[in-house]
Amino acid sequence: MMKKNTKNIKSLISLFFICSLSYNKVHSQAINPHEFSINGYIRTGIGGTDGGQMVNFVTPENLHKFRLGNEANHYGELQFNYRYRNKDSVNLYEVTYMMAKYIPFGSDGYKQFPETAQLYGKINKVVKNANIWLGKRYYDRRNVELLDYFWINSAQNSQIGLGLENYQIKNAGNLNLALIRFKYGNNNSHSYAADLRYLDVPVSQFSKLNFLGQYSIETENKLMNTQKHNGYALGTWYTYSKKNITHTSTILFRKGSSITENGYTGKTIREYRDSKRIYDLDKASSLDIINNFVYDDKRRHAIQASLTYQYRNFGTGDLDQNEIMMTDKASKNWMSVGFRYMYYINKYFNLALEAGNDYMKSDRSGLEGSLQKVTFSPQITLNYGYYSRPVFRPFITYAHWSESFKGITGESLLNNRLIRKTQGVSIGLQLEMWW
């Protein structure tokens, strides 16, 4: 088990550092007007849970969880950027390519080549400082870092997109418009989204309002016997930033085909799973209410606290074994509250404590319960700052969950030690860096 994890770690690190060395050679030869740069992200480590392979502590029917000491995977991104700069020092043209790789602990996924996560071009400052872009990209993602929950992620895993961004309105923010297309497998099914954002509307010296409007269409698929569906999303978020404090409050409503599978993609949810109808996209909806707060004095204390609530209406009732409707409506509630506190010993060393509680209730599965997780990590880093990277983390994590989650939470093909338990302990090491 340890041998497999070590292979995964070595493969990721080798890939990214070989590319980094190659970049340095290219960059040293680059001269204006051509600019080459590279950036990326690595998360890798090793760990175990109750004497077996490390598992994730997460509530059923959910992907998002409190992250510290609770990520049983390796992940990396490597991005290459080319920019053409004219005599006025304006980046007129850009081309970006990113590869990404996700490998769960114990998997042999390192044998496969990383997927293309982004490949797009951009022409900058076409009109009123607005940029035009075309291709596949991560588009203005917004997240709660504590949970790795991207509550807006309209374009990830898209087939192609086209957009106009940063169209400035004098003293009143900027407009952004994107048209995005997704493809589903090889069955000729597609969805399309028009995403309009009005960002950074000043409210006061330190606060701003942001607005989102989205309209989406999922095409008919005769092979899968699915119908055409429409949907929309409406949202707003308030941001406050002053000295050591940043705070974001969000409310986001989605309807029909604008409801996404999860926070890591903009793809529409599928109505059917294993030939069973899970959603009715003519009636389904979701609501997110999020508060995210960060304080960081970069000398002694840093804390991030979050409160996340999501309600999802499946749009259809529960079915019995004979596919007969038992109820008119099924829904799911998820509430997450927690914090991560860091106490700086000095710029190279801090003590981190993360604690969180997740509650989930699903009418469809009949599951209801909660999960509590606490992690302690003495972190080694190169500078002050909550988001300072690289960081090396030895950690110990304790989790406890409801009796109703027994056999589901902490479940893994490589570790069955928690099947009859309602608590578990993980111990490990993690390296996280971006540049």
Side-chain angles (χ1 to χ4, degrees), residues 250-398:
T250 304
I251 183 166
L252 180 62
F253 177 80
R254 294 183 175 100
K255 179 77 173 178
S257 60
S258 279
I259 304 173
T260 57
E261 292 178 352
N262 56 64
Y264 300 117
T265 181
K267 283 188 174 181
T268 300
I269 54 174
R270 311 307 290 156
E271 279 199 305
Y272 289 84
R273 185 185 304 157
D274 299 327
S275 300
K276 290 187 177 181
R277 193 180 197 187
I278 305 299
Y279 289 91
D280 180 347
L281 285 183
D282 290 330
K283 300 176 181 178
S285 62
S286 72
L287 174 68
D288 285 86
I289 300 174
I290 303 165
N291 266 287
N292 188 32
F293 172 88
V294 177
Y295 170 86
D296 187 1
D297 61 23
K298 297 185 178 180
R299 280 293 177 271
R300 189 58 65 190
H301 308 283
I303 186 170
Q304 180 176 21
S306 69
L307 171 64
T308 302
Y309 171 73
Q310 184 185 84
Y311 170 80
R312 181 161 288 190
N313 174 10
F314 294 94
T316 183
D318 293 326
L319 305 176
D320 63 16
Q321 294 180 347
N322 298 316
E323 302 292 316
I324 297 175
M325 193 79 68
M326 296 186 299
T327 58
D328 294 332
K329 183 177 69 173
S331 63
K332 184 180 78 170
N333 288 272
W334 169 51
M335 178 174 285
S336 177
V337 58
F339 70 90
R340 184 187 301 178
Y341 171 73
M342 290 165 45
Y343 178 77
Y344 297 113
I345 305 297
N346 54 49
K347 67 186 294 185
Y348 304 109
F349 187 67
N350 64 74
L351 304 177
L353 177 70
E354 182 178 279
N357 180 78
D358 284 291
Y359 166 83
M360 191 278 292
K361 179 182 179 181
S362 174
D363 296 337
R364 170 141 292 156
S365 63
L367 289 172
E368 179 178 8
S370 59
L371 180 151
Q372 298 81 38
K373 193 225 73 160
V374 179
T375 298
F376 173 73
S377 173
Q379 300 187 130
I380 301 169
T381 185
L382 296 181
N383 207 346
Y384 293 106
Y386 183 85
Y387 296 106
S388 176
R389 301 294 186 274
V391 58
F392 180 72
R393 303 181 177 110
F395 63 82
I396 180 169
T397 296
Y398 170 76

Side-chain angles (χ1 to χ4, degrees), residues 206-219:
F206 305 106
S207 58
K208 296 176 181 179
L209 270 177
N210 306 270
F211 301 93
L212 167 75
Q214 187 181 92
Y215 179 75
S216 61
I217 299 173
E218 182 180 340
T219 62

Side-chain angles (χ1 to χ4, degrees), residues 43-103:
R43 180 179 71 240
T44 188
I46 194 167
T49 303
D50 280 28
Q53 180 63 266
M54 185 175 169
V55 302
N56 296 313
F57 298 121
V58 58
T59 53
E61 303 179 28
N62 195 18
L63 287 178
H64 306 287
K65 61 197 183 302
F66 286 97
R67 298 177 61 187
L68 187 65
N70 196 26
E71 294 177 302
N73 56 69
H74 315 281
Y75 180 70
E77 296 174 343
L78 186 64
Q79 180 169 300
F80 299 93
N81 310 289
Y82 165 76
R83 297 182 181 90
Y84 176 81
R85 184 186 292 271
N86 69 358
K87 294 179 181 180
D88 297 324
S89 297
V90 175
N91 292 325
L92 288 182
Y93 306 102
E94 296 184 36
V95 177
T96 297
Y97 169 73
M98 177 197 281
M99 62 176 77
K101 188 69 179 175
Y102 176 87
I103 308 173

Side-chain angles (χ1 to χ4, degrees), residues 118-134:
Q118 299 194 83
L119 178 58
Y120 66 95
K122 185 189 289 187
I123 304 175
N124 295 316
K125 299 188 177 181
V126 177
V127 56
K128 290 193 175 182
N129 288 323
N131 310 320
I132 295 176
W133 61 270
L134 173 68

